Amino acid sequence: MTEWSPQACKKIAVVQGDITREQVDAIVNAANRSLLGGGGVDGAIHRAAGPELLEECRRLGGCPTGQAKITRGYRLPAKWVIHTVGPVWRGGAHGEDQLLASCYRSSLDLAVEKGVRRIAFPAISTGAYRFPLERATRIAVREVLRFLSEHPGIEEVRFVCFDSGTYTVYRKVVEELCGER
Ligand code: ADP
């Protein structure tokens, strides 16, 4: 038996672009444990959402690695921002794979709780946190496919790749796991 349904494969999309422009119910932020903003996608989301986002984040008291917290999206097209904290890559023997998988599951759990139907993810941990891209992509796609198989309320999960190298790897991994769609 496969770990996911063929329907799950039809609900995922890989696109290249800027996640702050995604017109979905929720976008996911690759945040750090303070939740007080940073570089990369985190900085882009805070700039696009406006200062109210930081104000709400200050009240959350941070977030442990592998978990997620949700705020409003303010000036973003997305109604919600789900902030998750990916693991810093330290060679792979420090629970990095499990923590990264947990980021995707925790984010999707919060999405379901809020009735989110369409959600966009960045390539969590693959920038400043240096998680090897292909390994991270396999974890991301597999966890999302498993989750979708059990939660029919989520209609679309978009993997938003900022650069063409990331886009190519996501396309390859989705084809490996789902075949030609
Ligand atoms: P982390 O600290 O979790 O590694 P980064 O923000 O450094 O997070 O990188 C995660 C991924 O997000 C990288 O692939 C990076 O290129 C990408 N990224 C940066 N800005 C954006 C953006 N505006 N939209 C989507 N992805 C982005």
Side-chain angles (χ1 to χ4, degrees):
M1 207 188 88
T2 54
E3 293 175 280
W4 47 79
S5 62
Q7 289 89 327
C9 281
K10 297 201 179 98
K11 292 184 175 180
I12 60 178
V14 179
V15 298
Q16 192 180 343
D18 176 353
I19 201 166
T20 64
R21 316 195 53 147
E22 283 287 310
Q23 311 243 1
V24 289
D25 304 309
I27 64 170
V28 176
N29 181 16
N32 56 52
R33 281 185 303 197
S34 76
L35 298 185
L36 299 179
V41 70
D42 195 0
I45 289 173
H46 276 274
R47 278 194 300 278
E52 297 94 335
L53 178 60
L54 184 57
E55 241 170 73
E56 186 174 355
C57 283
R58 279 191 212 288
R59 297 196 291 271
L60 297 176
C63 180
T65 304
Q67 296 185 27
K69 293 197 176 176
I70 191 163
T71 64
R72 304 224 149 237
Y74 300 97
R75 299 175 202 179
L76 290 164
K79 180 173 182 194
W80 304 104
V81 179
I82 296 170
H83 307 263
T84 189
V85 183
V88 175
W89 180 258
R90 292 197 289 144
H94 295 84
E96 291 96 327
D97 291 347
Q98 293 77 6
L99 287 165
L100 186 62
S102 169
C103 285
Y104 285 89
R105 284 196 305 269
S106 307
S107 299
L108 289 163
D109 279 335
L110 281 177
V112 166
E113 223 173 85
K114 296 292 185 187
V116 163
R117 294 177 177 201
R118 300 177 66 238
I119 182 170
F121 280 96
I124 299 163
S125 282
T126 68
Y129 284 3
R130 300 183 313 276
F131 205 116
L133 177 59
E134 198 163 323
R135 183 161 169 158
T137 305
R138 275 212 180 84
I139 292 166
V141 176
R142 207 171 50 218
E143 287 308 319
V144 165
L145 287 171
R146 284 183 184 144
F147 193 93
L148 285 173
S149 303
E150 288 161 12
H151 298 85
I154 305 259
E155 292 168 6
E156 185 179 16
V157 175
R158 295 168 67 78
F159 293 108
V160 181
C161 305
F162 200 49
D163 55 90
S164 63
T166 303
Y167 176 75
T168 303
V169 168
Y170 266 82
R171 290 288 303 255
K172 187 186 93 171
V173 167
V174 168
E175 199 182 309
E176 268 173 31
L177 298 183
C178 285
E180 298 286 349
R181 290 179 300 154

